[in-house]
Amino acid sequence: MKNIDYSLYLVTDRNQPAAGTFEKVVEEALKGGVTLVQLREKEGDTGLLYERAVKLKKITDAFHVPLIIDDRIDIMLASGADGVHVGQSDMPAAMARKLIGPDKILGVSAGTLEEAVQAEKDGADYLGVGAMFPTATKKDADITSPSELRRIMDTVHIPVVTIGGMNKNTIPLFKGYGLSGFAVVSAVMAADEPEKAAAELKEMIDQVLGR
């Protein structure tokens, strides 16, 4: 399961589906070429989140794409999702790895070299580095400089995706960094045509990554 394509990593935002129901938007995005999906829900009760995770798992399974749950290890385990992503203020990555076991995917957010190195030591499979740019979906996010990203890329040995303001205008700026992919939110979730938006981003990302 660990042979993962991180190139077009969709992070969901329930407040942004512009073109229909939440699940439908994700399905359209998968048709367009999304390679990994993270269910990120900051509100809502556990029962509702579990239901959403189960529904999304069916959709991602149909496309043979892994489903990651943001923060909630209980929901990941209950829904049979493929992994969990933890931030710096969530459960420590080392503890998360103990709870989920060796086979599930563990992603960790990192904004600095120190955080990135620690996450790798703690058993992260990949890093989400950012926010690279200010973003409406996470207004309190600290910005990671391009030079700090380069230091991280020069030091860690696990895949890195950037997050925070990733869209068709910003993704080309990261050509040559050696990234494994880009995490997008509104560039797909708020698009009028999610499938088309995802397909265009995927084509661009493949060029940026030199595929």
Side-chain angles (χ1 to χ4, degrees):
M1 186 66 233
K2 293 295 183 76
N3 188 16
I4 303 148
D5 182 351
Y6 294 99
S7 57
L8 180 50
Y9 184 157
L10 178 66
V11 180
T12 68
D13 181 355
R14 179 162 290 278
N15 299 319
Q16 289 202 344
T21 67
F22 176 72
E23 287 81 12
K24 186 71 180 158
V25 171
V26 174
E27 188 173 359
E28 290 295 312
L30 285 160
K31 283 182 193 167
V34 160
T35 59
L36 193 64
V37 176
Q38 180 190 135
L39 174 61
R40 185 166 79 183
E41 293 275 346
K42 294 302 182 189
E43 306 95 32
D45 60 48
T46 296
L48 200 59
L49 183 52
Y50 168 70
E51 272 178 41
R52 284 172 189 161
V54 169
K55 276 185 193 167
L56 268 198
K57 183 76 170 86
K58 280 185 183 159
I59 296 167
T60 55
D61 279 356
F63 288 87
H64 307 289
V65 165
L67 176 65
I68 308 286
I69 307 294
D70 180 47
D71 184 23
R72 296 289 299 270
I73 291 172
D74 56 337
I75 299 294
M76 186 215 82
L77 294 169
S79 65
D82 302 286
V84 70
H85 187 96
V86 295
Q88 290 296 318
S89 58
D90 297 330
M91 179 177 289
M95 183 55 64
R97 172 55 78 199
K98 268 188 191 167
L99 289 170
I100 69 174
D103 299 327
K104 294 285 188 180
I105 303 163
L106 176 61
V108 179
S109 297
T112 66
L113 177 60
E114 291 71 25
E115 290 172 357
V117 168
Q118 189 60 50
E120 184 174 30
K121 275 186 196 158
D122 289 343
D125 289 303
Y126 74 91
L127 300 174
V129 173
M132 300 309 302
F133 299 96
T135 169
T137 57
K138 211 166 184 190
K139 293 188 172 72
D140 61 345
D142 293 325
I143 302 300
T144 301
S145 68
S147 60
E148 189 73 357
L149 174 61
R150 284 208 186 270
R151 287 174 70 211
I152 291 168
M153 297 306 302
D154 289 343
T155 307
V156 301
H157 308 91
I158 54 177
V160 173
V161 301
T162 52
I163 190 164
M166 293 295 111
N167 56 48
K168 63 186 180 186
N169 298 318
T170 56
I171 286 169
L173 302 174
F174 295 95
K175 192 177 177 80
Y177 275 73
L179 293 165
S180 293
F182 300 89
V184 301
V185 188
S186 49
V188 171
M189 294 301 295
D192 290 333
E193 297 176 81
E195 182 178 351
K196 182 170 178 247
E200 288 172 356
L201 283 170
K202 185 68 171 72
E203 187 179 351
M204 174 186 282
I205 286 166
D206 285 344
Q207 288 177 349
V208 169
L209 298 181
R211 293 179 161 197

